Amino acid sequence: MQVGANMQITDKSQRFNKLSGMTLLELIVCTVIIGILSSTAVPIAKNVVIQQKEELLRENLREMRRAIDRFYEKKSNSEPGLDDASYYPTSLDELVEKRMLRKIPIDPFTEKPDWQTRSSTDPLNAETTNLLNVFDIYSASDKIDRRGQPYKSW
């Protein structure tokens, strides 16, 4: 009886060993599925990062343009009668000095606070500025957004 009992245990252990492992084919299929899923996740993650940078750029531009408008309004109310160009700040640093901004934000695409400015006396769509004042601001990045427009045109 002891021999038969040992045989049953051996049969059960062999059956258990056959059922407990994965075949090579199952491992290959799992690896392929994981590879396909990970290859689709990478482009999606890149798009999310670009989308976040674009949103941050919009926020930074909006904040600085509002600061320029507040500076213009405050100076035109306190010193009426000046030339229109005199009401705009002469630099972005002046916005910080006059507490219109806490600090100059960082451009998310250049990763530096190196914004380009337009003067109120510049011709429309001018490539260069005369640096007389800061009428508008735009990104220094040469990159193109997801719609095909350069960030400089925002």
Side-chain angles (χ1 to χ4, degrees), residues 1-12:
M1 283 224 162
Q2 216 171 13
V3 175
N6 284 341
M7 238 173 142
Q8 282 182 342
I9 293 171
T10 308
D11 288 342
K12 283 183 182 178

Side-chain angles (χ1 to χ4, degrees), residues 11-147:
D11 288 342
K12 283 183 182 178
S13 66
Q14 286 176 352
R15 205 174 325 137
F16 181 72
N17 284 339
K18 287 182 182 178
L19 297 176
S20 67
M22 296 180 74
T23 65
L24 181 60
L25 181 61
E26 289 171 328
L27 288 173
I28 291 172
V29 168
C30 288
T31 305
V32 168
I33 290 171
I34 291 171
I36 290 170
L37 291 174
S38 65
S39 68
T40 58
V42 170
I44 292 171
K46 285 182 182 178
N47 284 339
V48 168
V49 170
I50 291 172
Q51 183 179 2
Q52 289 173 343
K53 283 185 174 184
E54 286 181 355
E55 185 58 35
L56 184 58
L57 177 63
R58 276 189 200 92
E59 282 180 35
N60 289 345
L61 288 171
R62 191 177 308 121
E63 178 185 357
M64 288 188 292
R65 287 173 176 155
R66 284 182 185 155
I68 292 168
D69 292 343
R70 283 193 309 270
F71 185 94
Y72 180 92
E73 184 179 336
K74 188 173 182 179
K75 191 165 183 179
S76 65
N77 288 337
S78 66
E79 300 177 31
L82 295 176
D83 181 33
D84 187 55
S86 302
Y87 292 127
Y88 290 102
T90 56
S91 68
L92 294 177
D93 292 327
E94 189 174 2
L95 291 173
V96 176
E97 291 168 10
K98 300 290 184 179
R99 295 185 171 208
M100 301 294 160
L101 286 174
R102 289 184 185 206
K103 67 176 188 169
I104 299 171
I106 293 175
D107 183 334
F109 289 98
T110 62
E111 298 179 353
K112 295 182 239 172
D114 60 348
W115 302 94
Q116 299 295 313
T117 62
R118 290 185 185 94
S119 174
S120 63
T121 57
D122 289 342
L124 190 62
N125 297 326
E127 291 291 323
T128 59
T129 182
N130 61 15
L131 300 174
L132 180 65
N133 58 31
V134 178
F135 169 73
D136 193 19
I137 191 160
Y138 59 95
S139 175
S141 173
D142 291 327
K143 296 180 181 177
I144 306 294
D145 70 8
R146 293 178 294 153
R147 293 174 292 163

